[in-house]
Amino acid sequence: MWKFLCPKRHVESVQEINLHDLKEKGIKGIITDLDNTLVCWNDEAVLPAVTKWLKEAKEKGFQVCIVSNNNKERCEQLSWNLELPAIWQAVKPRRRSFLRALKMMDLQPYQAAVVGDQVFTDILGGNRLGLYTILVKPLSRREFVGTRCVRQFEKVVLFGLKKRGHLK
Ligand SMILES: [Mg+2]
């Protein structure tokens, strides 16, 4: 169970993800969460650092795709703003949407990374398929009330993973 909840990497923000390292690992595609990973929850403003990182990723030849549990309207808007394809109402951690993203990018699970701010959706979903999972710290403390409750369990899991030496 711990294995499925443990991200391969834990970083402060997307811009700290080392694209060179990902390349070295043979990763060709990045499946990224939207809310509190690329933009603050319920906000459309994109930080310049995030734009820069996405641009760099594309220049390095990575395919990037948004997979979000949020609705069509929000995802379409941000998909347009960020110039990235998006899959909405993804029902993460279910595998279906991750598989759709892989198919869209024409990649195998070992060739893709998942980036997200939540253990029970992004990381669990990605690990179930054997994707390279990267947990980022949420961009803002504002979020959906349900998510805020889940964060309490998430804290326990992250503490447990650290204690067991799984999480660096
Ligand atoms: Mg999120």
Side-chain angles (χ1 to χ4, degrees):
M1 136 115 171
W2 290 104
K3 186 180 91 172
F4 284 110
L5 294 173
C6 189
K8 296 281 182 306
R9 308 281 308 185
H10 189 196
V11 295
E12 285 287 321
S13 57
V14 287
Q15 56 269 32
E16 277 198 10
I17 297 169
N18 190 323
L19 294 165
H20 182 76
D21 275 3
L22 290 188
K23 261 253 132 104
E24 297 267 282
K25 286 183 168 59
I27 286 166
K28 296 182 164 68
I30 299 169
I31 297 172
T32 175
D33 173 50
L34 182 62
D35 292 293
N36 270 341
T37 297
L38 294 183
V39 288
C40 292
W41 181 72
N42 245 352
D43 197 342
E44 274 160 31
V46 186
L47 290 172
V50 172
T51 309
K52 189 170 165 253
W53 182 80
L54 286 171
K55 189 168 169 261
E56 203 188 321
K58 286 182 194 170
E59 280 168 4
K60 282 194 157 60
F62 287 98
Q63 298 188 68
V64 186
C65 174
I66 297 168
V67 170
S68 167
N69 281 353
N70 214 324
N71 61 39
K72 179 176 185 230
E73 195 190 352
R74 175 159 173 78
C75 289
E76 274 189 335
Q77 181 63 55
L78 267 308
S79 163
W80 176 263
N81 294 358
L82 294 161
E83 296 176 30
L84 295 176
I87 292 170
W88 49 83
Q89 288 174 337
V91 207
K92 292 179 282 185
R94 294 199 60 181
R95 281 171 286 198
R96 193 188 57 199
S97 298
F98 291 112
L99 288 169
R100 260 182 73 196
L102 287 172
K103 200 171 173 197
M104 215 160 82
M105 299 191 286
D106 195 21
L107 296 176
Q108 296 298 314
Y110 66 88
Q111 295 175 306
V114 171
V115 180
D117 69 299
Q118 285 194 59
V119 169
F120 294 108
T121 56
D122 309 305
I123 304 306
L124 176 60
N127 283 344
R128 286 178 75 200
L129 278 171
L131 303 170
Y132 189 79
T133 46
I134 305 171
L135 181 68
V136 299
K137 296 216 169 127
L139 275 178
S140 111
R141 295 187 66 171
R142 285 177 55 238
E143 50 197 357
F144 175 62
V145 60
T147 311
R148 252 180 298 174
C149 298
V150 174
R151 291 280 183 212
Q152 300 309 312
F153 295 103
E154 198 176 88
K155 267 189 206 163
V156 175
V157 168
L158 290 175
F159 180 79
L161 287 171
K162 271 184 202 144
K163 217 175 118 189
R164 286 167 173 77
H166 296 315
L167 194 69
K168 280 130 216 155

